[in-house]
C-alpha cells in the first residue's frame, strides 16, 4: 500500500501499484484460459503508476473515458476494450478515445471472453445467480470452449412470466419467441452468443437466453423446439464488471465506481 505524505491534503489516500493490480487481475480473471480471444485482454493502455480510484464499465468509448476522467479514476476495467486483434491507425474516433485516456493518465484494462466465462465473476454465472436459476453445468461453446452456463428454474414457468422476470431483473425489454411454452432449463450466453443455440439441442435445454437478437436463430430454435430470449447485449453484460468491481473494493479497499452507458441494444 502507498500512502500520500500527510499534510498535503490532510488525510491519507490509499493507493496500489498499477503493476500489482494488473498481475493480480491477470491471474484472478484467468486470462490465460483464452489465448485465442479476439480481444487483447489485460492492460491495453498504461496510465499512472499508482491506482487510488477504480472505474468499471461495459464498453470502452469516449463518453466512458471522459466520465472516468471527471471522476478522478486512475484505472478503468471494461468488458469490451479498445484493441481487437491490433490497431490499424490512431485517427478519428480511435484517436479521440486514446487521447481522452492519455490526457487523464488513465489505465485501461480489458477482459472479454474470460469475463463471460468466469465461474466466480463472469457475466453468465452472474446472470443465473441474479435470475435465481440453480446452476447445473457449462453451456454454450464459443471458439472451442464453453463460456456459458445452464441451470434449472425449480418449477415450470410460463414463458411470458419468465420473460417478465428477466426484464425486471435486468432492467431491459427482451424480444423473444416461444416454442416450448414452459421454462424449466435455461442456458445463458451473454452478448452476441446466439450460435450457442446448438448446445441447447445437445444438452436438452428448453430455453436459451442471449443478448443480441439474431434472425438466423429463429428457424433453428423452431426446429429444435427451444424458446429464445434476446435480453440485450448491454443488459446481459453489466454483471461481470460489477462482480469484479465488488471483489476489488473488498480486496484493495479502494473506491470503485460503475460508469453506466447503456446502448439499449
Ligand atoms: Zn459483449
Amino acid at each position: 500500500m502507498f500512502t500520500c505524505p500527510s499534510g498535503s491534503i490532510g488525510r491519507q489516500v490509499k493507493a496500489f501499484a498499477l503493476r500489482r493490480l494488473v498481475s493480480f487481475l491477470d491471474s484472478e480473471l484467468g486470462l490465460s484460459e483464452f489465448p485465442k480471444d479476439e480481444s487483447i485482454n489485460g492492460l491495453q493502455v498504461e496510465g499512472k503508476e499508482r491506482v487510488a480510484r477504480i472505474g468499471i464499465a461495459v464498453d470502452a468509448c469516449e463518453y466512458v473515458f471522459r466520465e472516468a476522467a471527471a471522476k478522478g479514476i486512475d484505472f478503468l476495467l471494461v468488458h469490451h476494450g479498445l484493441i481487437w486483434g491490433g490497431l490499424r491507425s490512431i485517427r478519428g474516433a480511435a484517436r479521440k478515445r486514446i487521447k481522452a485516456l492519455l490526457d487523464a493518465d488513465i489505465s485501461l484494462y480489458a477482459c472479454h471472453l474470460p469475463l463471460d466465462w468466469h465461474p466466480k465473476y463472469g457475466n453468465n454465472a452472474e446472470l443465473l445467480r441474479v435470475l435465481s436459476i440453480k446452476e447445473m453445468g457449462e453451456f454454450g461453446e464459443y471458439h472451442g470452449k464453453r463460456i456459458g452456463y445452464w441451470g434449472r428454474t425449480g418449477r415450470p414457468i410460463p414463458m411470458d412470466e419468465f420473460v417478465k422476470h428477466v426484464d425486471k431483473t435486468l432492467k431491459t425489454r427482451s424480444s423473444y419467441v416461444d416454442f416450448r411454452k414452459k421454462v424449466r432449463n435455461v442456458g445463458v450466453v451473454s452478448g452476441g452468443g446466439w450460435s450457442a443455440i446448438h448446445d441447447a439441442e445437445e444438452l436438452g435445454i428448453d430455453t436459451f437466453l442471449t443478448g443480441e437478437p439474431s434472425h438466423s436463430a429463429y428457424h433453428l430454435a423452431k426446429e429444435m423446439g427451444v424458446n429464445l430470449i434476446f435480453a440485450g447485449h448491454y443488459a446481459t453484460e453489466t454483471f461481470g464488471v460489477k462482480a469484479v468491481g465488488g471483489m476489488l473494493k473488498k480486496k484493495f479497499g479502494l473506491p470503485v465506481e460503475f460508469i453506466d452507458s447503456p446502448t439499449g441494444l
Side-chain angles (χ1 to χ4, degrees), residues 58-59 79-80 84 112-113 116 123 190-193 212 233-234 236-237:
V58 175
D59 299 306
H79 181 48
H80 302 132
W84 300 82
H112 180 231
L113 292 182
D116 291 317
N123 285 317
S190 64
E212 275 186 45
H233 197 134
Y234 187 88
T236 55
E237 299 204 323

